[in-house]
Amino acid sequence: MMLESVQQKDPPSEFVDVAERNRKNQTHGLRRLRSVSHEEELAAAREAWDSVQCVEPILRSPLKDDPCLSPKKHLINSSSSSPAKSPPCKQPPHPKAHLPPLHPPPGVRITPHTDFDEVWDFFTRQDMSDVMGSIKPTVEPRGVNGLLRSIFGPKKLKAELVEERNLLFAIAQCQFKNEEPLHLQMLQTVYKVLTATAIDCPRYGTHWDLIGFQGTDPATDLRGAGLLGLVQALYLLTHDPLLPFAREVYQLSHHPTCQFPLMVLSINVTRISLQALREGHLNKECNSRGNVRHVLNQFFTAVLFHIFWIWKTECKTIKDSGFIIKDAEAYCKRNVKTVLQKLQAHLRKYNPHQDDVFDDGEML
């Protein structure tokens, strides 16, 4: 069985056109697999996976208004022999899209996607007492500055929201575990939505570099923000209003000169979001909306958009990343409402008729 890209209606021309090739190869593979033995079937499936990873991208029409994308300089030729450049993002599939009614041979797995709501429900039912003792959800006032902050600083979080806030910090203390099926499901969902593939990828390998992990084991990068780093990436990729923005970020992360490790950046933005929550910068929004998780996720997305916009419009490179992230953290903490509004304004470009409401019913 060949690796299959999830099909989309009217895929945008700027994305890689590999879906049709994969479909044809899959049809041919299915005919052949019916006539071979069980062992040959498994070998063919593994060979198919390896070969698809080497498909060279064909960028047919770069974005017209992107100052970083030049149609003459950055058109990727299909005969290119360089494996270093990964394909720009195809339109990610809807996380709940039905997979084709195929029965993969042994050794090939197709697990269903999960989403933020399912993961949140999972954590609310877990015993988190083993990590609750190590969380630091607030900044302890110390000295004169601490006294001034307690008097003139951000408002305190409402008592009924403290438990929800603490759970978010507890998730950030949890580490990735191979023996937990939902952890694996989250990781597979992030990879498959970004790369628009249906078949599960190997747990370890260099393919994780495609979505911006540094190395063969994503769990290594996730230590910086714990499972919350993966949970917030999942929110970005499985929340319908954010999918067009996620595709833009993924495409820019593979730009020949402006490229950056997407998942590493995402984890850094999770760290910024947690610190903003710890310091009380999000308390006003949380109190107003009566929840913490939606505010934290939307602030995470707004910070990512702030960084993306600077990176794209000013054609930044990985050498600028340290300064950009540091400046973004300071600016976004001081201007929470502003960055949330800028995110909403950008999302309206994808859907001008969209109200200022996410599917979760929380106002931006």
Side-chain angles (χ1 to χ4, degrees), residues 95-296:
K96 298 298 184 181
H98 293 292
L99 296 174
L102 301 176
H103 301 287
V108 175
R109 295 179 58 86
I110 302 178
T111 57
H113 290 170
T114 186
D115 58 24
F116 176 81
D117 290 335
E118 183 178 356
V119 171
W120 180 256
D121 181 67
F122 168 83
F123 280 112
T124 58
R125 292 182 283 105
Q126 301 302 302
D127 180 9
M128 308 290 282
S129 57
D130 58 331
V131 294
M132 280 295 183
S134 59
I135 67 171
K136 296 180 180 179
T138 59
V139 175
E140 297 181 3
R142 294 181 178 178
V144 177
N145 290 335
L147 179 61
L148 293 176
R149 177 181 176 81
S150 64
I151 299 175
F152 303 105
K155 296 182 179 180
K156 289 186 177 182
L157 190 68
K158 290 181 179 179
E160 59 267 29
L161 300 178
V162 169
E163 183 178 355
E164 183 180 347
R165 178 200 63 192
N166 291 352
L167 179 56
L168 288 163
F169 280 96
I171 295 173
Q173 290 293 315
C174 295
Q175 298 303 312
F176 189 93
K177 295 180 180 179
N178 287 326
E179 59 271 21
E180 175 50 62
L182 186 64
H183 294 189
L184 295 170
Q185 192 178 9
M186 284 193 291
L187 192 60
Q188 290 290 346
T189 299
V190 169
Y191 182 87
K192 291 191 291 185
V193 172
L194 278 174
T195 60
T197 55
I199 296 177
D200 291 5
C201 64
R203 170 65 180 83
Y204 303 95
T206 57
H207 55 279
W208 292 113
D209 178 69
L210 183 64
I211 64 172
F213 281 112
Q214 298 183 125
T216 60
D217 182 6
T220 303
D221 291 330
L222 289 171
R223 291 173 184 171
L227 282 178
L228 191 64
L230 189 57
V231 170
Q232 291 204 300
L234 186 73
Y235 170 82
L236 174 70
L237 296 170
T238 60
H239 200 58
D240 285 349
L242 301 179
L243 284 175
F245 168 58
R247 289 194 293 267
E248 277 196 286
V249 180
Y250 183 65
Q251 185 185 21
L252 183 63
S253 74
H254 286 283
H255 185 271
T257 57
C258 299
Q259 60 183 282
F260 55 87
L262 175 55
M263 283 304 301
V264 172
L265 174 61
S266 177
I267 292 168
N268 271 281
V269 175
T270 294
R271 178 193 59 77
I272 292 173
S273 303
L274 271 178
Q275 190 61 23
L277 181 61
R278 178 181 288 114
E279 294 174 359
H281 298 290
L282 305 184
N283 286 355
K284 183 178 180 180
E285 288 293 321
C286 293
N287 291 339
S288 175
R289 302 188 208 178
N291 74 78
V292 183
R293 62 188 185 279
H294 296 317
V295 172
L296 184 68

Side-chain angles (χ1 to χ4, degrees), residues 2-5 7 15-28 52 54-59 78 87 90:
M2 299 296 294
L3 178 67
E4 176 181 344
S5 292
Q7 298 299 309
F15 297 130
V16 184
D17 190 19
V18 298
E20 182 63 21
R21 282 179 287 171
N22 287 342
R23 186 187 63 77
K24 292 179 180 179
N25 289 340
Q26 181 189 46
T27 302
H28 172 73
V52 170
C54 299
V55 171
E56 288 292 330
I58 302 175
L59 185 60
S78 61
K90 286 181 66 62

Side-chain angles (χ1 to χ4, degrees), residues 329-348:
E329 178 172 6
Y331 176 84
C332 293
K333 285 179 180 178
R334 295 194 309 266
N335 302 276
V336 173
K337 192 70 175 182
T338 299
V339 294
L340 289 174
Q341 291 173 342
K342 287 182 178 179
L343 169 64
Q344 185 64 57
H346 185 73
L347 296 180
R348 287 197 204 97

